[in-house]
Amino acid sequence: MNEIKIFCPATIANLSCGFDVLGTCLENVGDEMIIKKSNTKGIRITKIVGADLPLEIEKNVAGVAALALLNAIDSDFGFDIEIYKKIKAGSGIGSSSASAAGVVFGINELLGKPFTRKELVAFAMKGEALASGSEHADNVAPCLLGGFTVVRSSTPLDIIKIESPKDLYATVIHPQIELKTSEMRAVLQTMITLKSAITQWGNVGGLIAGLYTSDYELIGRSLHDEIVEPLRGKFIPKFELVKQAAMKNGALGSGISGSGPSIFALSKGIETAEKIANAMCEIYNETGIPYEIHVSKINNEGVKMI
């Protein structure tokens, strides 16, 4: 192949109890990207549609991730990249990770797949570091691998993929305000109580077990954040009301997507997911704040060719 067009899915990171280690991938929300081989070595971003982002390689998360990959392999040609952004920056559903993961997937395909999808995560993390100030894989891992992912370790990188239960759906509301990941990380505390840590460990273990066994009730009981959400929730308008509305309408659980401002809910079945979406919309219709609403099945494939 000399050219590839790819779908780069949105993601939900943290999933309440799994700060920086858990994430999942959406099926019908994401960016698109076109990558072409070039006889001129190096990386060039030739077009960005849908967002005001820099074309300079060192200032763009896709450019940084692509360079990291090329620096690890000897290539006789370069790549021209077009990015079609449909995930807004600062949305909390993985805008930067879609760019970083998408570009390394596409270049790897054009190179003949010298790296596995798991190996590509390390390159995509370099792009994430530009966006947030730290290398973390809770968005890029599910974007590349699909399903749910657990980042057991970042050094060395150790990622486990879990297939999603077949009837699991996500509802995500994105208020059109921007919360920068770097700023939302700055509000977190570096020390936590042992009691809070024990509660969080129990929820992480419960969520993993629920996903493996398709125990929807266990998944719901485990979607609780003892540590991060209490500090970040106050920055999101109507956060508690949206959570309450989601739960009243059948959600298994609800919380902040990534660093916000998006709020997610997981549910069993599309009918419940759409009912939750309507309830979320009713609350935000009263605020006057523009928003987007997404209902999506969990994507078990991750980034893919289209």
Side-chain angles (χ1 to χ4, degrees), residues 145 147-148 161-165 211-212 300:
L145 302 177
F148 287 81
K161 175 183 175 178
I162 305 171
E163 294 286 327
S164 173
L211 292 171
Y212 270 117
N300 274 317

Side-chain angles (χ1 to χ4, degrees), residues 278-294:
N278 290 334
M280 289 178 167
C281 290
E282 284 183 13
I283 292 172
Y284 262 87
N285 286 341
E286 297 175 358
T287 67
I289 299 172
Y291 65 87
E292 292 180 347
I293 191 80
H294 307 290

Side-chain angles (χ1 to χ4, degrees), residues 87-121:
I87 311 171
K88 289 183 171 61
S91 62
I93 53 173
S95 178
S96 59
S97 66
S99 295
V103 76
V104 296
F105 171 85
I107 290 175
N108 191 58
E109 290 288 316
L110 294 176
L111 287 171
K113 299 184 183 179
F115 300 102
T116 67
R117 287 195 183 222
K118 281 190 178 181
E119 289 170 337
L120 292 175
V121 172

Side-chain angles (χ1 to χ4, degrees), residues 4 35 81 104 134 149 161 216 232 234-235 247 254 256 259 264:
I4 189 172
I35 305 173
I81 302 162
V104 296
S134 65
T149 54
K161 175 183 175 178
Y216 293 91
R232 287 180 169 175
K234 59 189 175 182
F235 293 94
M247 298 304 294
S254 179
I256 301 172
S259 57
F264 80 92

Side-chain angles (χ1 to χ4, degrees), residues 239-257:
F239 172 63
E240 289 297 337
L241 284 177
V242 170
K243 273 191 67 174
Q244 292 169 15
M247 298 304 294
K248 286 179 182 177
N249 284 275
L252 300 171
S254 179
I256 301 172
S257 179

